[in-house]
Structures are given as C-alpha cells and as structure tokens.
Amino acid sequence: MQEFFQWAGNFWWLIFPIMGMAGGAAKAWERGSKRRHERRLETLKVKAQLKTAEIEARALTRQAKRGPSVVDTTASVAPNDLVARLFTEHDEITARWLDYELDVAKLIAFPAMSDGRQPLTAAFLRAKKTADALRPSSADAKVSEQQVTEYLQAVGDYAVAFEIAEKDARRLRDSTFTEPERKRLERAQQLLKVAVDESATQAERNVAYKRVREELDGLILLSDDAVTVLEKQVARELPAQASTSTDASTDAAPAPAAEAQPLPITDPLRPAPPRTLPREDA
C-alpha cells in the first residue's frame, strides 16, 4: 500500500487526463445515443408516410373500381368510403394494442408495450392520441377534405408507430430488468397459469392470483381494465365448477328413485314358472 501511495503521489497529475478521457467517452456515448434516437424518429416518419400512401392508394383503387360517377371531385366533403376504410384501419390497430394491454400474460412476456418510458412506446401512445383526436364522429359525418387528409396521416403514423413499438418490445422482452426482477416475472408467469387453470381449486386460484399481483407490484403497472379482465378469468371457471357439482347432485338425486322403481316389478316375475307349465303341456 505504501508503494501505491508513493506512486500516486508522484503521478497524481494523471488524474486530469484520465478525467478528460472519461468525459470525452461519456459525451461520445451521449452523441451516439442522440443520433440513434434521431434515426429512429426519421425511420418512423418515413414509414408513416409510406403507410399513409398505401392506405390512400387502396382507398382510391376501390373507388376507381366502383366508377367515378359516384364521387363529386369538386365537393369539399370527402367520400364516405375513404373515412370508413380509415375507421377500419384505426380499429384494427387499436384491437392489436388492446391484445397486449388487457392480456396480463402478454404484458409479462413483452413489458415494453405498456412502459411509456420506452421511447418507441411513448411515440406510439402519442400517435394513438393524435389519431383518436382527429377521428370523425362517424363515417357519415360531414368533414372537410383537410380533416380527412389529417386523419389519413394520423392513422398512417398510428399504424407505423405500433409496428415499430411492437417489434422493439418483442426484441427487448425482459432485458431491461435486473436478474432478481426477471425471476419475479418468471414466478408471475407460472402463478398466472395456476390462477386461470380451471382444474385448480378455488383456494389455489385465489392464492395464485394474489401472488401474481405481488410479484408484478413495482415491475409492471396493470391498468384497471387489465385487472378486471384477469379477475374475470380467475373467477370464470369457479361458478362453472360449482354449477357442475350442483347439476351432478341434482342429477344424482332422482337416481335412487329410478333404481327403486324396478323393486315392485321383480315380484310379478316370480310367478313366471307357472306360466311356462301350460306352454309345456300344450
């Protein structure tokens, strides 16, 4: 130790270039991170433009097949079929997102889809908010050409943002968590299978459900809708089992009566031998 302190006393000035090198490395990493983020945003923008053009081209193709006589090109109101097509695209993307948002098993497998701190997920949520705000009240609503154009662009951005966020979430999976946190997620996955297993008892399902909530606490924030769906899945089979046992008991109740009916029938069978005697004599 004394030799080390002597060496440090002689070369104490090396701390300045080392600090300079560390600072330069930190700045280089920050610049690289910023460039990567800018490239992602540029990719998102380009793909959104391509998606918008694709949606518009499909709508125009369908419109051309129907014939141009139906559409008034000088009117300020857009054709209803284009708005209806955008509604379909919008609803399909929302349904795909809800498939992650409401399914706890998928949230555990791909937690980035519900983490607004992830840049691509945050971009998707912003695109969703914009598309929802620009959506007309109905397909038959009177809207201007400018409003339809803005909604068309918003739906294109929404579709591309979801695809990019989904791919990133499937790539990341649980890599953003520490090793102890990943073990908690694994336990939550196993407990979730028990919680929705119809062959498990009511006590086992209830305990597994509580354990799932405990393991996910602080790791993944479940929305109220996701909790409601999970609780229905946990309780859905319990009444079914109870009703099955009730039906079985009610079905078993008349069984003794059905078995008791043959008792008086057995007595008339006893005089059967006398009946055979006249046949033999004959």
Side-chain angles (χ1 to χ4, degrees):
M1 291 296 295
Q2 292 181 354
E3 294 178 356
F4 173 76
F5 286 117
Q6 290 178 356
W7 179 86
N10 294 330
F11 298 96
W12 59 269
W13 51 269
L14 289 175
I15 191 173
F16 296 105
I18 292 175
M19 290 180 61
M21 293 171 61
K27 290 181 179 179
W29 182 86
E30 184 179 359
R31 288 193 299 268
S33 178
K34 186 176 181 181
R35 284 195 299 268
R36 288 192 297 270
H37 180 65
E38 290 176 352
R39 283 197 297 268
R40 287 180 178 179
L41 293 180
E42 291 176 359
T43 303
L44 179 64
K45 184 177 180 180
V46 171
K47 288 188 175 182
Q49 293 174 351
L50 294 175
K51 187 67 176 181
T52 301
E54 179 185 353
I55 295 173
E56 188 174 9
R58 287 201 302 265
L60 292 176
T61 301
R62 290 173 52 195
Q63 178 181 331
K65 290 180 179 179
R66 295 180 181 179
S69 59
V70 181
V71 180
D72 182 7
T73 56
T74 61
S76 60
V77 179
N80 292 336
D81 58 348
L82 176 58
V83 178
R85 177 60 184 171
L86 292 176
F87 275 14
T88 303
E89 295 279 348
H90 193 161
D91 293 339
E92 287 177 357
I93 302 165
T94 302
R96 292 173 61 188
W97 172 68
L98 288 177
D99 194 29
Y100 287 96
E101 188 69 12
L102 301 181
D103 190 343
V104 178
K106 281 193 172 182
L107 282 178
I108 297 175
F110 311 106
M113 284 300 295
S114 62
D115 189 358
R117 295 171 298 180
Q118 296 293 331
L120 297 179
T121 303
F124 160 70
L125 294 175
R126 288 193 298 268
K128 179 183 184 302
K129 185 177 180 181
T130 301
D132 292 343
L134 294 176
R135 178 173 179 143
S137 58
S138 67
D140 298 329
K142 298 298 182 180
V143 290
S144 65
E145 184 178 354
Q146 178 64 26
Q147 289 176 310
V148 175
T149 302
E150 293 176 354
Y151 182 49
L152 174 65
Q153 181 66 41
V155 173
D157 294 344
Y158 184 33
V160 174
F162 174 81
E163 292 176 359
I164 294 177
E166 182 182 37
K167 290 180 181 179
D168 191 60
R170 289 180 173 273
R171 178 184 63 83
L172 290 175
R173 289 185 175 270
D174 59 356
S175 61
T176 58
F177 294 90
T178 62
E179 183 62 26
E181 290 173 342
R182 284 195 288 269
K183 291 182 179 179
R184 289 176 58 186
L185 291 177
E186 289 181 10
R187 288 194 296 267
Q189 285 179 328
Q190 298 299 324
L191 291 167
L192 182 63
K193 295 178 182 178
V194 178
V196 299
D197 186 4
E198 60 184 66
S199 63
T201 63
Q202 179 176 357
E204 291 173 342
R205 291 159 65 95
N206 291 339
V207 171
Y209 168 72
K210 292 180 181 179
R211 291 279 307 278
V212 169
R213 298 295 304 274
E214 291 174 359
E215 295 292 349
L216 296 181
D217 186 23
L219 297 181
I220 298 177
L221 179 62
L222 301 180
S223 64
D224 294 339
D225 293 335
V227 173
T228 300
V229 172
L230 178 58
E231 289 177 348
K232 288 181 179 179
Q233 290 176 344
V234 172
R236 179 176 53 192
E237 298 297 338
L238 299 179
Q241 290 179 353
S243 62
T244 303
S245 61
T246 304
D247 295 340
S249 61
T250 54
D251 294 340
E259 295 176 357
Q261 291 177 358
L263 294 178
I265 299 176
T266 56
D267 294 335
L269 294 178
R270 293 179 181 177
R275 292 180 182 180
T276 57
L277 293 176
R279 294 179 181 177
E280 292 177 357
D281 296 339

